[in-house]
Amino acid sequence: SCRAETMPIKRQFRGDNRGGQDSSSSSSRERHGFGRGGILAVLIAVVISEHQKWTKRMEKQLKEKLKHLEDRHKAERNAVVRLQHQLRHKVLDATSSFGGNGNDDDDGDEKTRSKTSQNSPQQFGPAIARAQSCFSRRAGTPRQGGSLVASARCRLHFDVEFVPKRSLEGLEEYSHAWVIYVFHANTNACGTKNGGAVKALVSVPRLNGEKRGCLSTRTPHRPRPVGLSLGRIISVDWERGEVTLGGIDLVDGTPVLDIKPYVPWCDSVPEATAPKWVTRAIEGEEGGEPLAIGEVKLASPEEETREKVKRAYEDRFEIDSKKGGKKRRPLYENPDDFLAFVMDTLRLDVRSTRERTAKVEERKFDTYRVTLCDVEVAYVIGKEGDGVVTIVDAVAVEPSVIPGSADLDRPAITRNDNDKYFKK
């Protein structure tokens, strides 16, 4: 009976002892923070940290891959354009050597000769004049002439051996003239795209890239690349065979097919109509001119930037061309007139539709450039909505080997180069 009485006591003692051990272990875990909740929190923190590191690595790799693809695309595009330029030269040489008399004995070349002639500026016959224009490159030339850039200048140099000097006599009695010419700077002029077929639809800048039929627009990419522009007659020098025009949008080196005086009573049609997207800029409708820039200014200090632009213009006519070009008479009598022209040009957004409509962070460039009178002008454009262009730099450059075409050997300004042009 005594044994029976002591058994519960031992069990109770053992139970109490275990309870003491559990209590001690629990408080130990609490002291060291190793409870199940703490361990879970540590694991979550480790997983988040590793995920963040992985995300940063992937983001870096994607940026590097995107940069590589952009560089590759640019290199391929430059290679295609360079080949198109070379092909255009070959076409011009070929059509010149054919002579167009049809007396070649090699009938096997007839199709080649026909195709070559069809895609060449020479298909319209020899040019009667060449344009010396303030717009040195196709990129940056206004998308229409007339009053858009009224201060623009162009001098037509006529072939006096083909066009008698006195052919221009009397033209000075008119205020304006029509100029018919070839879009010689088209990169697809030799039929290297779509097997030589013309694209039916083109992106319209004033519609932010919306498509319209090529023949319902003024696009240079047409079945026959012929342009028509109206210019203000500034002077006619028939002894030299020169006509200087203002407010006209020809690119430097443009081959001119004909020039005709503007006759108000038959050329003007007061009741003529056009789509709203064409007329809203002049009718003061909502939205106005979609390419308009709110303000064009000079980077601070303004006087230093002003002198830089003017000096670049003076330098252009003091240095000898390294590419064999002849020194040409300036289109502007003084650098101040040239500076005014630069600012007039930049009052319209000459960037591509893609670059103009992109968000600030998605733009390809921070700094842009336009070549006018063989002076490369660098500028920045403000954040979306403020519409401010700031001219930051200017330097004289050599004329293009092919007048009016881009200088592919000169690298584009990228975001990484921005600091050397503009300090915020």
Side-chain angles (χ1 to χ4, degrees):
S1 102
C2 190
R3 181 181 179 85
E5 290 176 359
T6 59
M7 289 294 289
I9 297 174
K10 290 182 179 179
R11 284 197 296 270
Q12 183 180 0
F13 176 77
R14 286 197 298 269
D16 291 343
N17 189 43
R18 286 196 301 270
Q21 290 175 349
D22 291 343
S23 176
S24 174
S25 175
S26 175
S27 66
S28 175
R29 284 196 299 269
E30 289 175 0
R31 286 197 305 271
H32 292 87
F34 289 140
R36 281 180 294 181
I39 293 173
L40 182 60
V42 170
L43 289 174
I44 292 174
V46 170
V47 170
I48 291 175
S49 176
E50 290 300 318
H51 183 266
Q52 290 175 341
K53 292 179 182 178
W54 178 84
T55 301
K56 289 181 178 179
R57 286 197 303 269
M58 292 301 297
E59 184 178 356
K60 182 179 179 181
Q61 291 175 7
L62 287 173
K63 286 182 177 179
E64 290 175 350
K65 187 173 181 179
L66 179 61
K67 176 69 166 54
H68 172 73
L69 291 174
E70 288 178 346
D71 291 344
R72 180 177 174 182
H73 172 73
K74 179 182 174 182
E76 290 176 349
R77 171 62 180 162
N78 284 348
V80 170
V81 173
R82 195 183 301 275
L83 287 172
Q84 289 168 341
H85 288 172
Q86 293 173 358
L87 179 57
R88 183 159 61 234
H89 269 299
K90 295 291 186 184
V91 166
L92 293 176
D93 292 342
T95 52
S96 298
S97 63
F98 289 150
N101 54 18
N103 294 328
D104 198 301
D105 293 334
D106 188 357
D107 295 334
D109 287 341
E110 189 63 35
K111 290 183 179 180
T112 303
R113 182 154 57 257
S114 175
K115 182 67 174 177
T116 301
S117 177
Q118 183 183 27
N119 291 296
S120 165
Q122 296 294 330
Q123 64 183 291
F124 308 108
I128 66 170
R130 290 279 173 177
Q132 175 193 349
S133 173
C134 55
F135 301 112
S136 306
R137 308 286 188 273
R138 179 172 58 96
T141 301
R143 295 176 172 92
Q144 195 57 255
S147 60
L148 283 184
V149 185
S151 58
R153 294 287 182 273
C154 175
R155 183 175 295 128
L156 304 183
H157 297 272
F158 286 81
D159 181 357
V160 294
E161 294 183 1
F162 180 67
V163 180
K165 292 181 179 181
R166 299 195 66 176
S167 299
L168 298 172
E169 190 175 341
L171 186 62
E172 70 279 0
E173 298 176 17
Y174 296 86
S175 65
H176 293 73
W178 294 107
V179 179
I180 304 172
Y181 56 92
V182 179
F183 289 111
H184 76 299
N186 284 1
T187 55
N188 64 342
C190 296
T192 59
K193 291 184 179 179
N194 302 328
V198 176
K199 286 186 177 180
L201 300 177
V202 295
S203 299
V204 181
R206 283 187 170 80
L207 288 175
N208 290 333
E210 286 187 29
K211 303 283 189 177
R212 291 291 186 276
C214 66
L215 295 182
S216 67
T217 71
R218 297 293 187 92
T219 178
H221 303 291
R222 320 179 69 79
R224 286 292 178 265
V226 177
L228 174 68
S229 289
L230 183 66
R232 184 180 75 261
I233 297 175
I234 296 175
S235 66
V236 178
D237 187 342
W238 57 268
E239 284 291 343
R240 284 183 169 177
E242 294 178 353
V243 175
T244 302
L245 302 169
I248 197 164
D249 58 343
L250 271 63
V251 181
D252 194 42
T254 294
V256 175
L257 301 176
D258 199 3
I259 182 169
K260 301 177 184 292
Y262 175 85
V263 182
W265 68 268
C266 63
D267 287 350
S268 176
V269 185
E271 65 273 18
T273 61
K276 289 296 183 183
W277 61 267
V278 175
T279 61
R280 64 184 179 184
I282 60 174
E283 293 178 356
E285 297 184 10
E286 184 178 354
E289 171 58 73
L291 304 180
I293 293 294
E295 180 186 3
V296 179
K297 63 181 183 178
L298 300 170
S300 182
E302 291 189 17
E303 191 58 35
E304 182 178 322
T305 307
R306 185 189 310 276
E307 290 304 314
K308 188 181 294 185
V309 176
K310 291 163 62 175
R311 182 58 189 167
Y313 181 69
E314 292 172 340
D315 288 346
R316 175 79 290 277
F317 296 98
E318 291 177 1
I319 60 178
D320 293 328
S321 173
K322 296 179 181 178
K323 297 183 178 179
K326 293 183 179 179
K327 199 172 182 180
R328 300 187 292 181
R329 289 186 297 118
L331 289 169
Y332 297 92
E333 294 299 325
N334 61 73
D336 287 311
D337 291 342
F338 171 72
L339 176 60
F341 156 65
V342 171
M343 300 188 78
D344 281 349
T345 300
L346 294 180
R347 286 192 176 94
L348 290 175
D349 200 335
V350 296
R351 298 175 299 166
S352 66
T353 300
R354 184 263 173 215
E355 195 72 2
R356 179 166 51 84
T357 57
K359 294 181 179 179
V360 175
E361 63 273 12
E362 295 176 354
R363 293 177 185 169
K364 294 180 67 176
F365 310 108
D366 278 338
T367 307
Y368 301 90
R369 67 188 187 192
V370 61
T371 306
L372 305 169
C373 291
D374 291 323
V375 172
E376 185 178 85
V377 178
Y379 66 96
V380 295
I381 191 163
K383 295 181 180 179
E384 51 189 342
D386 64 6
V388 177
V389 161
T390 304
I391 299 172
V392 297
D393 200 3
V395 60
V397 297
E398 298 293 343
S400 287
V401 176
I402 306 173
S405 301
D407 188 351
L408 300 179
D409 295 325
R410 192 168 177 80
I413 296 174
T414 64
R415 289 183 181 273
N416 296 332
D417 300 320
N418 190 44
D419 288 342
K420 72 180 181 181
Y421 288 96
F422 185 62
K423 300 290 185 182
K424 293 183 179 180

